[in-house]
């Protein structure tokens, strides 16, 4: 397409032009399963017959959700405090939560969201968010207000549970301890077993007591299997040319168009808690000049953006290097490797979702 034709089309949005301010009230209200998992259930989780741990996890979580109904009244709200005090001794005798451990793409988030949907309580009495979103909530509300806000909940689901520094270790350990004392049930997903949290990222031995304290609050469910996002499917489509990506951005309603290095720089100026709001209304993300990320801080911010795009099912059309070349060998063998592999898996899935966007732009 000629340059003048592209210019004549409707100009796409630019993520680099967005720096939204997100009130704390929105952070709390949005602690629900994201659009990708808004309608999932235990019934539509497709288990692999060759991986019995998947079916076992479904049954264990069904039973856990049913037990959580014992502290809920007919309207889905909490029973009186006298009931909760009577129930606390039983809770202290064993784990008060479920911890789903497994590789990428085995359906852990699907199961966690299914637990949220299946728990018999009103939506405002259940919270669902990633580990990063939980720490961001503490940053927005303050520790005491976060405890007060979440203590009235029946269930707190934490996706992508990871401890990346000593401060987060102590913060989350203390927060979850307060919530368990208040009678809140916990559920989490991670690619790391509870006793291994923080391994390879900081001097974990210095915080062993806090890490072990977190582990004791969960019953671990190991979920084996292959990454469903790539199971039996062809490899992700190769990157497109800059011209193809630009053309698609101008012809796909609601698309954004950004130069990848400029976007990485912009992410450093926007708090990760706002990345979701930054994507509001975006129907497709178009990126030119994708290249390996230059450093770990930049890489970790990109991981958060990839998670928010995946949650919202936003396809990504890109030029430059393939997404499996974003992170260096040193990064992929370091303490944050599991985050990077998750980002590669999710971005690859979104690139596959975007495969038809380039073709559609030629048909107009």
């Amino acid at each position: 397409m000629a340059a003048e034709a592209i210019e004549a089309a409707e100009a796409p949005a630019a993520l680099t032009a967005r720096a939204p301010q997100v009130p704390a009230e929105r952070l709390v209200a949005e602690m629900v399963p994201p659009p990708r998992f808004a309608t999932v259930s235990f019934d539509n989780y497709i288990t692999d017959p060759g991986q019995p741990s998947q079916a076992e996890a479904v049954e264990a979580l069904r039973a856990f959700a049913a037990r959580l109904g014992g502290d809920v009244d007919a309207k889905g709200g909490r029973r009186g405090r006298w009931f909760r005090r009577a129930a606390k001794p039983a809770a202290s005798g064993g784990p008060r939560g479920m911890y789903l451990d497994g590789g990428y793409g085995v359906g852990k988030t699907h199961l966690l969201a299914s637990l949220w949907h299946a728990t018999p309580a009103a939506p405002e009495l259940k919270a669902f968010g990633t580990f990063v979103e939980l720490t961001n909530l503490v940053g927005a509300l303050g520790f005491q207000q976060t405890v007060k806000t979440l203590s009235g909940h029946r269930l707190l689901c934490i996706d992508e549970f990871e401890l990346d520094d000593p401060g987060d270790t102590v913060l989350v350990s203390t927060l979850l301890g307060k919530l368990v004392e208040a009678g809140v049930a916990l559920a989490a997903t991670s690619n790391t077993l509870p006793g291994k949290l923080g391994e390879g990222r900081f001097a974990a031995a210095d915080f062993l007591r806090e890490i072990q304290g977190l582990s004791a609050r969960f019953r671990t469910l190991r979920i084996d299997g292959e990454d469903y996002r790539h199971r039996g499917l062809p490899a992700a489509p190769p990157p497109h040319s800059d011209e193809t990506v630009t053309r698609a951005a101008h012809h796909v309603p609601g698309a954004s168009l950004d130069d990848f290095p400029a976007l990485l720089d912009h992410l450093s100026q926007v708090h990760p808690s706002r990345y979701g709001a930054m994507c509001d209304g975006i129907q497709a993300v178009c990126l030119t000049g994708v290249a390996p990320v230059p450093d770990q801080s930049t890489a970790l911010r990109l991981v958060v953006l990839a998670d928010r795009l995946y949650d919202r099912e936003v396809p990504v059309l890109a030029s430059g290097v393939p997404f499996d070349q974003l992170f260096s060998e040193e990064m992929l063998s370091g303490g944050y490797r599991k985050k990077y592999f998750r980002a590669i898996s999710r971005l690859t899935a979104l690139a596959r979702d975007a495969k038809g966007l380039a073709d559609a732009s030629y048909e107009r």
Side-chain angles (χ1 to χ4, degrees):
M1 174 181 285
E4 59 269 21
I6 292 180
E7 292 175 0
E10 181 180 352
L15 297 180
T16 51
R18 297 182 167 199
Q21 298 297 316
V22 182
E25 295 77 13
R26 172 173 171 173
L27 295 178
V28 176
E30 291 185 344
M31 292 193 74
V32 298
R36 181 177 288 271
F37 302 99
T39 60
V40 299
S41 68
F42 294 129
D43 290 336
N44 59 32
Y45 176 76
I46 302 175
T47 59
D48 183 345
Q51 303 291 347
S53 62
Q54 295 183 7
E56 293 167 1
V58 170
E59 293 309 309
L61 291 170
R62 283 186 189 274
F64 186 66
R67 289 198 301 273
L68 295 182
D71 194 13
V72 180
D73 63 26
K75 296 181 179 180
R78 286 258 192 186
R79 292 191 189 277
R81 277 192 164 273
W82 62 271
F83 186 94
R84 281 196 285 158
R85 281 200 296 267
K88 283 178 68 175
S92 64
R96 181 60 177 159
M98 304 295 276
Y99 191 97
L100 311 183
D101 174 75
Y104 317 100
V106 297
K108 299 184 303 296
T109 303
H110 183 129
L111 290 174
L112 187 69
S114 297
L115 174 64
W116 188 94
H117 290 301
T119 296
E124 60 269 20
L125 297 179
K126 301 180 287 187
F128 184 107
T130 64
F131 180 83
V132 171
E133 289 170 327
L134 181 61
T135 57
N136 288 340
L137 182 66
V138 176
L141 298 183
F143 182 82
Q144 295 300 333
Q145 186 58 41
T146 301
V147 172
K148 182 178 179 180
T149 298
L150 297 180
S151 289
H153 283 58
R154 188 72 194 94
L155 173 69
L156 170 62
C157 294
I158 310 168
D159 200 18
E160 301 153 15
F161 198 113
E162 301 176 49
L163 299 180
D164 299 333
D165 59 58
D168 281 350
T169 302
V170 176
L171 174 70
V172 174
S173 176
T174 306
L175 174 63
L176 297 187
K178 295 286 188 182
L179 296 179
V180 169
E181 290 175 3
V184 181
L186 308 173
T189 71
S190 180
N191 303 118
T192 306
L193 288 169
K196 300 294 185 180
L197 289 170
E199 192 175 74
R201 302 177 188 177
F202 55 86
D206 295 339
F207 297 88
L208 186 59
R209 177 170 56 84
E210 286 83 358
I211 293 173
Q212 289 177 335
L214 286 177
S215 178
R217 302 188 190 282
F218 296 92
R219 172 191 170 187
T220 299
L221 296 176
R222 176 68 188 181
I223 304 175
D224 301 304
E226 301 175 9
D227 186 340
Y228 81 91
R229 287 184 283 268
H230 312 301
R231 189 186 304 156
L233 295 174
H240 299 273
S241 67
D242 285 352
E243 181 185 7
T244 297
V245 172
T246 301
R247 179 187 298 109
H250 281 80
H251 287 87
V252 174
S256 64
L257 176 63
D258 292 277
D259 173 65
F260 186 71
L263 177 60
L264 294 183
D265 181 66
H266 182 66
L267 293 180
S268 69
Q269 303 170 45
V270 179
H271 193 276
S273 66
R274 303 175 186 172
Y275 289 2
M278 191 169 68
C279 300
D280 283 353
I282 299 297
Q283 302 301 313
V285 166
C286 297
L287 300 172
T288 58
V290 172
V293 293
D295 56 74
Q296 190 147 262
S297 295
T298 302
L300 291 173
R301 288 190 289 267
L302 180 60
V303 167
V304 177
L305 178 63
D307 287 340
R308 300 292 79 77
L309 293 174
Y310 183 77
D311 287 345
R312 288 161 173 76
E313 303 181 285
V314 179
V316 178
L317 189 72
S319 67
V321 304
F323 286 132
D324 60 3
Q325 296 179 24
L326 282 172
F327 308 108
S328 68
E329 289 298 323
E330 181 180 2
M331 291 178 182
L332 293 178
S333 62
Y336 297 101
R337 60 188 178 277
K338 294 182 178 180
K339 285 189 172 186
Y340 300 144
F341 280 115
R342 183 182 75 236
I344 291 172
S345 174
R346 291 184 165 186
L347 287 172
T348 297
L350 296 178
R352 184 180 296 118
D353 293 343
K355 189 175 181 180
L357 299 182
D359 296 335
S361 69
Y362 283 97
E363 299 171 358
R364 289 175 175 258

